Amino acid sequence: MKKILLAFTFVFLSAALVSNAQTRLSGAEETPGYTLKECIDYALSHNIALRQSELAIENSLNALNQARADRLPSANGQFGLNSNFGRNIDPFSNDIVTSTIATNSMGVGANYILYNGLRIKNTIDRSTLDLEASRMDLAAQKNNISLQIAVAYVNVLSAQDMITVAEKNVEVTRLQLERTEKMVQAGSLPETNIFNLNAQLANNELQLVNSQNQYETAILTLKQAMNLTDNRPFTVSRIDVPNPSIQLYPESAGQVYEAAINYLPEIKASDIREKMAVKNIQIAKSVGLPTVMVNGNWGTAYSTAAKNLVPNGFDTQTVTATTVFQGETVPFTVDFQQPSYDQVGIPYFNQLGNNQNMNLGISMQIPIFNGFNKKYQMQSAKIQQLQSELNTENTLLGIRQNIDQAYINMQNAAKAYSANQVQVDALQRAFEAAEASYNAGASNYVDYNLARTQLDQAQANLVQAKYDYIFRIKILDFYQNKPLEF
């Protein structure tokens, strides 16, 4: 009686545990769940790496705008104030003076590059390609994140199905326990069968708890992949994924690869960077070509030393001289009238107007020797071109290997699913026969339990094989730009 009491206590506690877990699960499912598209959209809008890549695109766009602005002429103004003390040169008369002179100069200069070996054009082209490559990098990141979310989402669906399998096993064992108890009371079976079924029920309930824990872990993994930090209840929208029909995949691995190289953004990014390497070589060549530039300048100045002479009348000047008349020296005096002037400072704006000067010119700079700068830039650009070609080759090789592996994985998953399906069907019939024999008292519990355990494991394997096969199909679809939908 003591053993029976303990057994019933254990069953009651286990049933309470399962009921609580089922209540939590059903309560969570009442919350509107995220669809796969919503999970992907949330992840794309909250991923930090994507936001960093978006900033990289903005930086590339800024570099492109700067390269385009280099086509415009450059203009600079200058304004200066100076005070000169002591011995100075009058900037207007070039006389040496000993006084304090204040000067003010101003001007505007502009220049425009007519030709520099097409360096500006090639720089603009390279910046345009760099912007496009950055956008392709962002698209590749989005694809990878979407695929990562799809993996986590499928794992959640698989965990949900594993819970369903575990719940069915608990229910079957509980029904068998009730039937056995009645048969024991009727004296058809020994009481030990109840203890064995109680142990089986506890084991099934443990499997249910483990499945629920795996579900919670899968949910956490999905939330972390989405960068979702909200602690509110989170569930996914339940999708009734039908059992896959095993049939030949419509495209071969080679056809999948041909579709991938025309779609995958990482391949486009590699191609673009090859073109960038060609532009780098052209830019390096321009270092040895002449630069033709047209320039113009305007300027004016003011100085406190600049004076105007203003007449203020005449001054009489007496000059004494001698002459010889008939052999005698005769002195005489002559008076001259000379105009008198005062020095008056020239007004500021008058000087600015009078002192204007302007020049226009064209110049050419011809590189003769620049420390082998062109040589080493050319070598560096050619090395970068080889590196970009190898990166493209490596990208294509990696894609081909991934597709080949994905295709083999799909085929293996199809075989595994088919084998598991056959196994489940066979073990289901075997279990039904063992159950009937056990209920009739013709077999012992060991045979019944073995058939039941094998069926439970096969059903779990079938669920995993089902989602594994479906996901392998979706990977191949992904390489062909087909939507990630279930």
Side-chain angles (χ1 to χ4, degrees):
M1 288 298 296
K2 186 175 183 180
K3 290 183 180 181
I4 294 175
L5 181 61
L6 289 174
F8 276 109
T9 302
F10 179 80
V11 171
F12 176 81
L13 292 176
S14 299
L17 176 62
V18 173
S19 176
N20 181 55
Q22 290 174 340
T23 301
R24 289 190 295 108
L25 183 59
S26 61
E29 289 177 350
E30 290 175 358
T31 304
Y34 278 75
T35 64
L36 176 59
K37 184 179 183 303
E38 289 172 338
C39 290
I40 292 176
D41 290 343
Y42 187 94
L44 295 181
S45 61
H46 291 79
N47 188 274
I48 297 176
L50 284 184
R51 286 152 65 183
Q52 291 174 332
S53 296
E54 289 170 353
L55 291 177
I57 290 177
E58 291 185 16
N59 190 50
S60 297
L61 179 59
N62 182 65
L64 174 59
N65 291 333
Q66 182 179 1
R68 289 171 175 168
D70 288 341
R71 282 178 167 172
L72 303 175
S74 62
N76 296 282
Q78 63 87 18
F79 184 89
L81 290 173
N82 295 284
S83 293
N84 302 308
F85 305 95
R87 188 179 178 87
N88 297 295
I89 296 179
D90 188 330
F92 292 92
S93 64
N94 288 325
D95 293 335
I96 297 177
V97 296
T98 305
S99 62
T100 299
I101 300 177
T103 60
N104 174 210
S105 63
M106 64 186 67
V108 176
N111 61 73
Y112 179 73
I113 297 176
L114 296 177
Y115 177 79
N116 65 345
L118 301 179
R119 186 182 313 164
I120 294 178
K121 175 184 180 301
N122 289 325
T123 301
I124 293 175
D125 292 343
R126 182 187 63 182
S127 298
T128 302
L129 292 171
D130 182 59
L131 175 61
E132 186 63 23
S134 298
R135 288 172 175 166
M136 291 297 102
D137 290 340
L138 178 63
Q141 279 187 292
K142 288 182 177 181
N143 285 341
N144 292 334
I145 291 173
S146 299
L147 197 59
Q148 180 183 3
I149 295 299
V151 172
Y153 197 91
V154 168
N155 288 338
V156 171
L157 297 181
S158 176
Q160 287 179 336
D161 280 2
M162 293 296 290
I163 290 177
T164 301
V165 171
E167 287 175 339
K168 289 181 179 178
N169 291 337
V170 169
E171 183 64 24
V172 169
T173 303
R174 183 174 288 117
L175 292 175
Q176 181 62 35
L177 177 61
E178 293 175 357
R179 186 184 301 111
T180 301
E181 288 175 344
K182 294 178 180 179
M183 295 178 69
V184 169
Q185 292 175 0
S188 301
L189 292 175
E191 189 177 5
T192 55
N193 287 356
I194 295 179
F195 301 139
N196 291 331
L197 283 172
N198 282 331
Q200 178 65 35
L201 179 62
N203 182 60
N204 292 146
E205 289 169 346
L206 177 60
Q207 291 177 354
L208 175 59
V209 172
N210 291 336
S211 297
Q212 291 168 343
N213 290 340
Q214 290 174 1
Y215 171 78
E216 295 296 335
T217 300
I219 286 289
L220 177 60
T221 301
L222 178 58
K223 291 175 64 176
Q224 290 176 342
M226 295 168 58
N227 283 346
L228 178 62
T229 57
D230 196 338
N231 291 325
R232 289 179 297 179
F234 173 88
T235 59
V236 300
S237 179
R238 180 62 190 166
I239 301 176
D240 292 328
V241 180
N243 291 330
S245 57
I246 304 301
Q247 51 185 279
L248 187 64
Y249 193 73
E251 290 85 17
S252 65
Q255 291 173 323
V256 174
Y257 174 74
E258 291 299 326
I261 61 177
N262 294 319
Y263 149 67
L264 290 179
E266 51 264 42
I267 296 178
K268 294 181 180 180
S270 295
D271 292 337
I272 291 172
R273 289 191 167 91
E274 279 194 51
K275 297 176 182 178
M276 288 177 59
V278 175
K279 291 298 177 182
N280 285 333
I281 293 177
Q282 295 174 346
I283 292 172
K285 287 181 180 178
S286 67
V287 175
L289 299 176
T291 299
V292 180
M293 183 181 298
V294 61
N295 55 72
N297 294 279
W298 171 88
T300 186
Y302 164 81
S303 173
T304 56
K307 305 292 184 181
N308 274 335
L309 298 178
V310 179
N312 61 355
F314 294 89
D315 292 334
T316 301
Q317 184 175 3
T318 302
V319 178
T320 302
T322 59
T323 187
V324 178
F325 182 75
Q326 296 180 354
E328 295 183 1
T329 302
V330 180
F332 65 92
T333 301
V334 180
D335 292 332
F336 293 96
Q337 295 292 322
Q338 292 184 335
S340 176
Y341 297 93
D342 289 334
Q343 291 185 340
V344 179
I346 303 174
Y348 178 79
F349 288 104
N350 288 356
Q351 288 194 46
L352 295 184
N354 296 335
N355 296 331
Q356 294 185 75
N357 62 85
M358 183 180 297
N359 70 76
L360 293 173
I362 186 170
S363 61
M364 177 183 291
Q365 180 181 359
I366 304 174
I368 297 176
F369 179 76
N370 54 11
F372 300 107
N373 189 26
K374 175 187 174 182
K375 173 184 175 182
Y376 294 122
Q377 285 195 29
M378 284 287 295
Q379 289 180 351
S380 177
K382 289 179 179 178
I383 292 173
Q384 291 177 4
Q385 183 183 29
L386 293 175
Q387 288 176 331
S388 64
E389 291 174 354
L390 289 175
N391 286 337
T392 299
E393 183 179 348
N394 187 57
T395 300
L396 290 173
L397 179 61
I399 295 297
R400 185 56 193 256
Q401 292 176 343
N402 290 339
I403 289 176
D404 288 342
Q405 185 64 53
Y407 204 87
I408 291 296
N409 290 341
M410 180 273 298
Q411 292 178 329
N412 293 340
K415 295 175 184 176
Y417 178 76
S418 297
N420 277 279
Q421 183 67 63
V422 172
Q423 184 185 38
V424 168
D425 293 340
L427 291 176
Q428 179 67 42
R429 290 192 296 269
F431 172 71
E432 291 172 356
E435 185 179 31
S437 176
Y438 175 74
N439 291 335
S443 65
N444 56 37
Y445 176 78
V446 175
D447 295 334
Y448 168 82
N449 184 58
L450 178 61
R452 178 60 190 278
T453 301
Q454 290 177 338
L455 177 60
D456 292 347
Q457 184 62 46
Q459 289 174 336
N461 293 339
L462 181 62
V463 170
Q464 294 175 345
K466 168 186 173 181
Y467 283 99
D468 184 55
Y469 173 67
I470 291 174
F471 184 67
R472 300 302 176 184
I473 292 290
K474 291 302 175 182
I475 289 180
L476 293 176
D477 290 345
F478 164 78
Y479 280 118
Q480 300 172 82
N481 197 23
K482 296 180 183 179
L484 286 173
E485 296 177 352
F486 295 95

